[in-house]
Amino acid sequence: MDTLEVALGARSYPIHIGAGLIGDRELVGKTITAEQVLIVTDTTVAPLYLDALQRSLAERTCRTHVLAEGEQHKTLATLAEIVDTLVAENFHRDACIVALGGGVVGDIAGFTAACYQRGIDFVQVPTTLLAQVDSSVGGKTAVNHPRAKNMIGAFYQPTAVIADIGTLTTLPPRELAAGLAEVVKYGLILDAKFFGWLEDHVEALLALDADALGHVVRRSCELKAMIVAEDERERGRRALLNLGHTFGHALESLGGYGRWLHGEAVAIGTVLAACTSVELGKLTVSDAERIEALLDRFGLPTRANGLSERAILEAMAIDKKATAAGLNLVLLDAIGTGIIEAAPPDELLLSVLADLAAN
Ligand code: NAD
Ligand code: GLY
């Protein structure tokens, strides 16, 4: 097992990474210390991993709330249902919520923990690659508004993350690829060497090679922990982690949170960000081709066929990363060097979107 730290002073917490951690009674027992524990999970993950986690928490008062699976349930109504369970079971302020599942479970459970009695502890037990490399770390919690992604939420850090990479063996290939989109992001914004390593390990990763997956989760968490420690509330550099997300969130919302998985929308958004960077003379065409080729080898979509460029631009303007001063975008100066800039004029964005979206 490897343990990293997210260094946030009194709110610092460990990220434990390894295979079989959910069944490690000693680790789980000392990481989740509350007497009352509510495990929030979903209908797909519960039959796979709930028993093992409950066995590791055998001495606690442990209740479970199982959500219907999927992004379309990441709503305030779902949060209210979890609060109903907490109230019905008489959960106190020193209780702990454990999020067992992907990013949807983690985001909803974390936001519920932030709200219940003005904040109770929560521990992330991510079971998708996307959640292990990204959403379980850093304290962004939220639910969606029907018109805009993650519109209602809070920065609220977990007290620990237990990333059991053994759970990735049951992940459907499409979900694995969606997580790899966020992994590619780290290479693009911060670490050219890691991007090159990914190019050399596509087959190993798609074959769920444990060493390759372990390296990917560790390196991604190291990079994310570094950025979060520097800029917890996204006043500056943390926004780099949104590469492809302003485009991607617009696509997710236009697709009714059902056409593309989050990571797939991010992959298309990453290509759009790369093409915008090329148009602005920042990135070379050959680097943009390398980026698209890697996403494609991971089996990710790189085009948003059938959408109008104007609809995408309008959806981007609602994104919560827009400020009164306008929209910022994450662009690339090179592979490994992300930059945050005011969005270019609409005409330029519309021409990039027309090339990549409306085919
Ligand atoms: P998800 O939670 O919907 O999980 C994807 C699917 O995989 C679901 O059907 C789930 O039931 C299933 N699943 C989970 N673990 C499994 C396993 N081990 N084996 C088999 N099936 C399994 O989606 P996700 O991709 O994990 O997360 C996407 C969400 O994360 C989005 O809502 C996105 O906005 C959010 N997100 C948040 C942050 C953040 O910083 N908070 C960062 C990135 C993404
Ligand atoms: N996923 C973006 C962030 O955590 O900031």
Side-chain angles (χ1 to χ4, degrees), residues 56-72:
S56 293
L57 285 165
E59 283 87 39
R60 313 304 165 78
T61 308
C62 202
R63 299 280 179 270
T64 304
H65 186 108
V66 182
L67 309 177
E69 166 286 321
E71 180 77 31
Q72 64 276 30

Side-chain angles (χ1 to χ4, degrees), residues 34-58:
E35 176 48 40
Q36 287 181 308
V37 177
L38 180 72
I39 302 175
V40 178
T41 186
D42 73 23
T43 45
T44 303
V45 177
L48 295 169
Y49 302 111
L50 182 57
D51 269 0
L53 184 58
Q54 281 174 326
R55 274 198 300 277
S56 293
L57 285 165

Side-chain angles (χ1 to χ4, degrees), residues 15 17 126-138 161 163 165 168 175-186 194 198 205 212-225 241:
I15 309 171
I17 303 167
T127 61
T128 62
L129 181 63
L130 185 139
Q132 294 187 359
V133 298
D134 192 354
S135 62
S136 64
V137 175
V161 180
I165 61 170
L168 303 180
E175 298 291 349
L176 180 78
L180 288 166
E182 300 280 15
V183 173
V184 170
K185 169 185 85 178
Y186 292 111
F194 185 44
L198 291 170
L205 288 165
L213 285 173
H215 179 68
V216 151
V217 175
R218 251 188 331 270
R219 186 65 190 139
S220 302
C221 286
E222 273 168 10
L223 292 167
K224 181 145 189 189
L241 298 172

Side-chain angles (χ1 to χ4, degrees), residues 72-340:
Q72 64 276 30
H73 301 290
K74 190 174 151 180
T75 60
L76 272 179
T78 303
L79 180 149
E81 286 165 17
I82 304 172
V83 172
D84 287 346
T85 300
L86 289 163
V87 173
E89 299 285 347
N90 194 21
F91 268 62
H92 304 305
R93 288 187 67 177
D94 54 0
C96 178
I97 293 182
V98 177
L100 173 68
V104 168
V105 165
D107 280 12
I108 302 174
F111 188 39
T112 310
C115 296
Y116 186 67
Q117 299 203 14
R118 300 196 186 89
I120 62 172
D121 282 355
F122 91 108
V123 170
Q124 292 270 18
V125 185
T127 61
T128 62
L129 181 63
L130 185 139
Q132 294 187 359
V133 298
D134 192 354
S135 62
S136 64
V137 175
K140 280 191 181 176
T141 70
V143 295
N144 298 330
H145 182 276
R147 286 187 58 213
K149 175 92 181 160
N150 292 338
M151 211 38 143
I152 310 153
F155 284 98
Y156 194 70
Q157 300 293 341
T159 52
V161 180
I162 300 176
D164 183 342
I165 61 170
T167 61
L168 303 180
T169 53
T170 53
L171 207 56
R174 194 176 161 201
E175 298 291 349
L176 180 78
L180 288 166
E182 300 280 15
V183 173
V184 170
K185 169 185 85 178
Y186 292 111
L188 288 176
I189 56 172
L190 291 167
D191 188 347
K193 190 167 155 223
F194 185 44
F195 184 90
W197 184 94
L198 291 170
E199 290 180 311
D200 293 341
H201 291 80
V202 171
E203 287 72 26
L205 288 165
L206 293 179
L208 296 171
D209 177 88
D211 289 341
L213 285 173
H215 179 68
V216 151
V217 175
R218 251 188 331 270
R219 186 65 190 139
S220 302
C221 286
E222 273 168 10
L223 292 167
K224 181 145 189 189
M226 177 187 80
I227 290 274
V228 169
E230 260 177 53
D231 177 23
E232 182 184 8
R233 290 188 160 245
E234 201 171 301
R235 309 277 188 234
R237 238 163 95 75
R238 181 165 179 170
L240 285 175
L241 298 172
N242 298 327
L243 176 70
H245 284 60
T246 302
F247 293 114
H249 285 172
L251 298 178
E252 277 188 89
S253 144
L254 290 171
Y257 301 117
R259 176 170 172 190
W260 291 287
L261 300 176
H262 173 73
E264 292 174 340
V266 167
I268 299 167
T270 300
V271 174
L272 286 166
C275 291
T276 306
S277 306
V278 170
E279 285 301 309
L280 290 168
K282 296 174 186 303
L283 187 73
T284 63
V285 172
S286 71
D287 275 352
E289 286 170 357
R290 250 179 98 188
I291 294 166
E292 185 166 354
L294 180 59
L295 294 168
D296 187 55
R297 286 174 70 201
F298 281 140
L300 286 158
T302 54
R303 295 286 187 276
N305 296 344
L307 287 182
S308 103
E309 58 268 32
R310 228 164 243 294
I312 301 175
L313 197 65
E314 278 165 21
M316 283 168 61
I318 307 177
D319 192 90
K320 67 184 182 324
K321 288 180 288 301
T323 64
L327 188 66
N328 281 334
L329 282 184
V330 184
L331 299 172
L332 296 170
D333 255 347
I335 288 176
T337 312
I339 46 168
I340 302 155

